[in-house]
Amino acid sequence: MKEKISLPLARRIALAAQGFADPAPAGTIDRRHLQRVLSRVGLFQIDSVSAVVRAHYMPLYSRLGSYPMALLDGAMAGRKRLLFEYWAHEASLLPLELWPLMQWRMRRARANDASEIYKGLAVWAEDKKTFIDEILQEVRSRGPLAASDIEGHKGKGGWWGWSDAKHAFEWLFWAGLITTHSRRGFERFYDLPERALPASVLDLPEPSAADAHRELLRISARAHGVATYADLRDYFRLSPDDTKKGIEELVEEGALLPVTVEGWNRPAWLYKDARMPRRIEARALLAPFDPVVFERTRAETLYGFRYRIEIYTPAEKRQFGYYVLPFLLGDTIVARVDLKADRPTGVLRVHAAFAESGAPPETAAYLTEELKHLQGWLGLERMEITPAGDLGPALLAAAGPDVAASG
């Protein structure tokens, strides 16, 4: 008979798996803390929007508090790098030890397998082999190289347009023939893996595709604590067949335990080493692409939190705002807040705040405190609050006289 897990316990298991049951760091936050978070979450999703801060910086902040962003920058490049970029759950930063586990995806990309993530790019590349080879040769001879360095450059194939050059770089990146060497702002500089990554990583044995899928699912299960098939598959965007077989193997070896979760109408599995804390005392703002919420169905079934990104929604049709961060309090998402880091004026602008159903009375006070911490971490001089949304007026009141009203 399957073990039955209550919904509150499932939330606590999930948050513990993501590092929210770990003690707060004492003293300076360093690479050990970064590695501890990485061992929990397995990846940081990358996104270009910088309305507050680029998304890959936020998961560390949400779990550790204020840390020097240079810590993550240093882990992304250079001889002491800990991370590489590749397609996992969208574009992601991954621990170096996962490089061998992604080789199957790179092999499929080199075969131009249109079933693997980037279907449009596979179609584009079908008759562009010569051009792609020319771009690879440019990286080989001139790298590290940004895609913008090729714009207007005359090669064997004639004048290289930006669009085609960018496509070629992306195909080569997808195929694992080049990788991110470093970034300038948000622009990637590409180089050959053997020049950008440590030899100790490149020399690791390459597992079979089946073994790699199983290990990726194990990482996914560890990061979830308790999960459905869709959750496990989504973390590294695996195919249905690869996921089904991998889950079966992990169940057989005892790494995944079939369970039922209160209110879930789908099968679920508990990771064998999942922690089951009696309390979670988290207090954190989450990026829209944090693993806690990036699978929207899971966020809704686990936390009762319906979440959609409205960046591309016309302003007049937005329900909550342009760049909305969920607010986690205890083991529940209790509010959401539309934020903008206005760096030229040094202001953290709170455009609106909304309470979730059942949010406790102290939500505004705790959220205000977190916003002040965020302001400090971002190096902004002050905060201004527009009393919009059902929580906006209470947030402004809780902020005190040193925070100005706006709007």
Side-chain angles (χ1 to χ4, degrees):
M1 184 175 177
K2 294 180 183 178
E3 180 181 356
K4 185 169 184 178
I5 295 175
S6 71
L7 190 58
L9 177 56
R11 284 198 297 266
R12 297 196 299 273
I13 292 170
L15 290 169
Q18 282 287 310
F20 286 101
D22 292 345
T28 303
I29 295 173
D30 57 25
R31 287 166 75 94
R32 293 170 301 168
H33 298 99
L34 166 59
Q35 288 173 311
R36 186 182 72 185
V37 173
L38 269 176
S39 72
R40 304 287 188 214
V41 304
L43 58 82
F44 299 139
Q45 185 175 335
I46 299 169
D47 187 76
S48 62
V49 178
S50 58
V52 177
V53 66
R54 296 201 193 278
H56 54 285
Y57 290 103
M58 273 296 292
L60 279 176
Y61 173 77
S62 300
R63 291 153 179 81
L64 300 176
S66 296
Y67 75 95
M69 292 188 206
L71 176 65
L72 186 57
D73 292 336
M76 292 164 55
R79 283 190 247 175
K80 295 185 177 180
R81 69 189 300 162
L82 299 173
L83 302 161
F84 73 98
E85 292 186 30
Y86 192 59
W87 289 98
H89 182 94
E90 301 293 342
S92 301
L93 287 168
L94 301 165
L96 283 174
E97 57 267 26
L98 268 62
W99 177 262
L101 298 184
M102 305 309 296
Q103 293 303 307
W104 62 274
R105 177 163 282 162
M106 296 174 189
R107 285 197 306 273
R108 291 183 185 179
R110 291 194 289 272
N112 226 32
D113 185 341
S115 68
E116 269 302 314
I117 294 184
Y118 239 161
K119 296 178 183 178
L121 192 58
V123 172
W124 173 88
E126 285 176 357
D127 60 352
K128 296 290 196 299
K129 186 177 186 305
T130 299
F131 178 74
I132 290 169
D133 287 345
E134 288 179 4
I135 296 291
L136 179 58
Q137 182 56 41
E138 287 293 304
V139 175
R140 185 175 286 120
S141 60
R142 296 170 55 197
L145 204 62
S148 60
D149 292 332
I150 301 298
E151 185 173 12
H153 183 83
K154 189 172 181 178
K156 297 182 207 173
W159 288 99
W160 290 348
W162 162 255
S163 180
D164 274 358
K166 178 62 175 173
H167 275 72
F169 273 97
E170 287 298 323
W171 189 93
L172 289 164
F173 176 78
W174 177 41
L177 296 172
I178 60 175
T179 191
T180 304
H181 171 276
S182 54
R183 282 183 179 267
R184 177 178 60 201
F186 197 68
E187 185 178 30
R188 283 187 188 129
F189 279 75
Y190 299 94
D191 207 345
L192 304 178
E194 55 266 34
R195 295 200 299 235
L197 303 180
S200 58
V201 170
L202 298 174
D203 291 342
L204 289 171
E206 182 182 326
S208 68
D211 287 347
H213 297 148
R214 185 174 60 252
E215 291 310 305
L216 291 171
L217 284 166
R218 192 191 309 275
I219 294 167
S220 176
R222 186 180 68 211
H224 283 98
V226 62
T228 66
Y229 162 89
D231 299 333
L232 293 170
R233 177 188 171 193
D234 181 71
Y235 216 69
F236 289 98
R237 297 285 167 86
L238 302 177
S239 74
D241 288 344
D242 295 335
T243 302
K244 183 175 182 295
K245 183 179 179 182
I247 289 175
E248 290 172 351
E249 292 172 350
L250 290 173
V251 169
E252 186 175 346
E253 74 171 62
L256 287 180
L257 310 174
V259 294
T260 60
V261 176
E262 175 191 1
W264 291 9
N265 60 5
R266 292 170 292 171
W269 292 270
L270 178 71
Y271 182 58
K272 68 179 180 65
D273 294 327
R275 292 177 292 173
M276 299 187 183
R278 297 181 66 179
R279 290 178 62 83
I280 293 285
E281 297 184 355
R283 199 165 70 196
L285 287 159
L286 304 173
F289 308 103
D290 190 287
V292 172
V293 294
F294 64 30
E295 210 297 303
R296 307 307 187 201
T297 300
R298 178 176 173 84
E300 193 162 351
T301 58
L302 192 53
Y303 304 101
F305 184 70
R306 189 176 188 278
Y307 191 36
R308 300 293 184 271
I309 297 293
E310 297 183 282
I311 290 172
Y312 302 109
T313 302
E316 67 277 7
K317 294 184 178 180
R318 290 177 192 143
Q319 183 178 4
F320 297 109
Y322 177 80
Y323 200 75
V324 175
L325 275 62
F327 178 49
L328 175 68
L329 184 62
D331 64 6
T332 307
I333 297 173
V334 299
R336 63 185 89 199
V337 57
D338 182 19
L339 297 180
K340 167 71 176 177
D342 187 346
R343 292 175 180 85
T345 62
V347 177
L348 178 63
R349 300 193 183 280
V350 183
H351 293 309
F354 303 85
E356 296 299 299
S357 176
E362 62 271 22
T363 295
Y366 284 133
L367 178 53
T368 300
E369 189 174 335
E370 284 306 304
L371 289 168
K372 289 180 177 179
H373 287 318
L374 180 66
Q375 173 198 331
W377 179 57
L378 296 176
L380 301 172
E381 297 171 7
R382 64 188 192 280
M383 177 165 57
E384 294 183 4
I385 298 175
T386 301
D390 58 16
L391 191 61
L395 198 66
L396 180 59
D402 59 327
V403 174
S406 179

